[in-house]
């Protein structure tokens, strides 16, 4: 669907800060999502558009802008210092996913966003990628390799790690998490997927539905750069035909509750697998409000355990800012 978006360019909806009226006029955009986690997408092959945090918040505003959980700018890696660093590691990482949260803040990674980013590059004719073929891109969370599948994309999200490893191994928890709708604080486990997550297990789906995520949960102690918080209910039975199943909701740092979070799904599987013990499987279905994503653990070439995230990606609209 093509459309022209009449987005006022004078003021940021989030911060109220003035934005130059001509800076975004005429800029082409697309809107896409991965299991409901939605993004404004900008193709910038010449690094011609410096989009401020205020402008990002304006474009992602759901009432006065296009609306999205974040904004992704597709830019050649050679134009950014962090992109050039990654090119020294892997010269094939020609495109960089310049991602910002809906409030304009920078984010290291977005698992759903990576899939949508690659789908956008294909739709824009910037890359060619057939089923079974792979593409390497740069992100602030490092180099990522994406394979096009029959029904979406699979992303090697890289290795996972505990943010507080001593506490995670000795106590299987490292934080207490409070949220509206939960009577008492719950234990959480903090996992890094290139960005920070704190995972909380709940007993039943009714408890998950009653948890209110209009405001950010309180995490104590909070990781240095803040954290995304996942509330997760394991299925009963947890494992069927060798695959684990969990259901989760998430409050994303700098965004609020979203319909899905790819890195959060990976972190949730890490935590539940850790709690379940050595017999837990390496393949997981993760139910999120926006659909289902799959998570798989496998040994990486670097000798560390990696996480693969797979799921769909959709472009729903394209247009030009007025």
């Amino acid at each position: 669907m093509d459309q022209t978006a009449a987005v006022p360019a004078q003021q940021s909806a989030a911060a109220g800060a003035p934005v130059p009226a001509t800076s975004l006029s005429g800029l082409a955009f697309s809107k896409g999502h991965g299991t409901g986690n939605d993004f404004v997408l900008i193709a910038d092959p010449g690094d011609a558009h410096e989009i401020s945090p205020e402008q990002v918040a304006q474009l992602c505003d759901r009432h006065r802008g296009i609306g999205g959980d974040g904004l992704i700018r597709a830019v050649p890696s050679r134009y950014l210092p962090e992109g050039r660093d990654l090119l020294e590691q892997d010269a094939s990482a020609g495109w960089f996913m310049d991602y910002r949260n809906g409030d304009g803040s920078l984010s290291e990674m977005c698992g759903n966003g990576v899939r949508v980013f690659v789908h956008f590059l294909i739709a824009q004719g910037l890359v060619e990628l057939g089923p079974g073929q792979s593409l390497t891109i740069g992100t602030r969370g490092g180099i990522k390799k994406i394979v096009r599948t029959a029904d979406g994309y699979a992303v090697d999200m890289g290795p996972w790690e505990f943010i507080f490893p001593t506490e995670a191994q000795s106590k299987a928890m490292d934080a207490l998490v409070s949220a509206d709708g939960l009577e008492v604080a719950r234990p959480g486990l903090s996992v890094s997927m290139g960005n920070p997550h704190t995972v909380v297990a709940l007993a039943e789906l009714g408890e998950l539905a009653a948890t209110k995520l209009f405001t950010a949960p309180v995490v104590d102690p909070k990781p240095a750069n803040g954290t995304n918080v996942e509330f997760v209910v394991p299925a009963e039975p947890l494992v069927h035909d060798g695959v684990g199943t969990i259901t989760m909701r998430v409050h994303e740092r700098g965004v609020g509750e979203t319909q899905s979070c790819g890195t959060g799904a990976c972190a949730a599987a890490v935590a539940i697998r850790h709690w379940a013990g050595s017999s837990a499987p390496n393949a997981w279905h993760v139910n999120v409000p926006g659909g289902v994503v799959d998570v798989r653990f496998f040994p990486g070439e670097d000798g560390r355990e990696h996480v693969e995230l797979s799921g769909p990606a959709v472009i729903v609209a394209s247009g030009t800012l007025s």
Side-chain angles (χ1 to χ4, degrees):
M1 176 173 67
D2 289 330
Q3 63 183 26
T4 298
V7 180
Q10 280 78 13
Q11 184 165 318
S12 160
V19 175
T22 60
S23 58
L24 299 180
S25 179
L27 184 63
F29 73 92
S30 291
K31 174 73 179 287
H33 77 90
T35 52
N37 199 186
D38 60 339
F39 311 94
V40 179
L41 299 130
I42 306 293
D44 194 5
D47 192 31
H49 304 291
E50 184 176 347
I51 304 173
S52 71
E54 293 79 15
Q55 290 167 326
V56 171
Q58 173 196 13
L59 291 172
C60 292
D61 187 280
R62 298 192 180 279
H63 300 286
R64 300 182 181 182
I66 298 165
D69 294 323
L71 181 142
I72 301 173
R73 186 175 66 113
V75 61
S77 296
R78 66 181 184 274
Y79 287 121
L80 302 177
E82 53 266 65
R84 290 192 290 272
D85 289 343
L86 295 177
L87 286 173
E88 292 183 0
Q89 301 174 36
D90 189 333
S92 67
W95 284 98
F96 191 91
M97 188 181 84
D98 182 14
Y99 178 66
R100 287 167 171 76
N101 295 315
D103 66 352
S105 60
L106 287 175
S107 182
E108 301 90 343
M109 252 300 292
C110 178
N112 291 317
V114 170
R115 301 196 312 274
V116 178
F117 173 70
V118 172
H119 196 56
F120 175 65
L121 291 177
I122 296 169
Q124 293 289 307
L126 297 171
V127 302
E128 294 183 359
L129 193 68
Q133 294 182 323
S134 65
L135 179 70
T136 302
I137 66 165
T139 76
R140 290 186 176 85
I143 293 171
K144 304 300 175 187
K145 183 177 180 180
I146 301 92
V147 176
R148 190 170 190 179
T149 65
D151 54 1
Y153 301 88
V155 186
D156 179 354
M157 302 291 288
W160 64 271
E161 60 184 5
F162 291 124
I163 295 175
F164 305 110
T166 301
E167 292 84 352
Q169 295 294 349
S170 63
K171 298 187 294 184
M173 57 86 70
D174 52 42
L176 288 176
V177 180
S178 302
D180 291 345
L182 295 178
E183 293 184 358
V184 297
R186 304 299 174 89
L189 188 61
S190 301
V191 177
S192 173
M193 287 301 311
N195 59 352
H197 297 268
T198 302
V199 182
V200 177
L202 300 180
E204 57 187 29
L205 293 175
E207 192 174 37
L208 182 65
T211 304
K212 298 178 176 61
L213 299 180
F214 303 113
T215 58
V218 177
V219 179
D220 183 25
K222 183 169 64 175
N225 295 319
T227 189
N228 305 283
V229 183
E230 288 78 28
F231 295 91
V232 186
V233 177
E236 181 58 49
L238 176 63
V239 181
H240 180 71
D241 290 338
V243 180
T245 299
I246 57 178
T247 299
M248 80 168 206
R249 292 173 61 198
V250 58
H251 187 284
E252 289 199 51
R253 174 188 58 165
V255 183
E257 183 175 12
T258 60
Q259 292 291 295
S260 182
C261 177
T263 53
C266 296
V270 168
I272 297 297
R273 189 181 68 151
H274 182 67
W275 287 324
S278 59
S279 62
N282 289 326
W284 295 81
H285 296 314
V286 183
N287 298 308
V288 294
V292 181
V293 294
D294 291 324
V295 172
R296 179 176 70 91
F297 297 90
F298 67 98
E301 295 180 357
D302 57 3
R304 302 175 67 186
E305 185 174 65
H306 283 220
V307 186
E308 179 188 80
L309 173 72
S310 58
V314 180
I315 301 296
V316 298
S318 295
T320 304
L321 298 176
S322 62

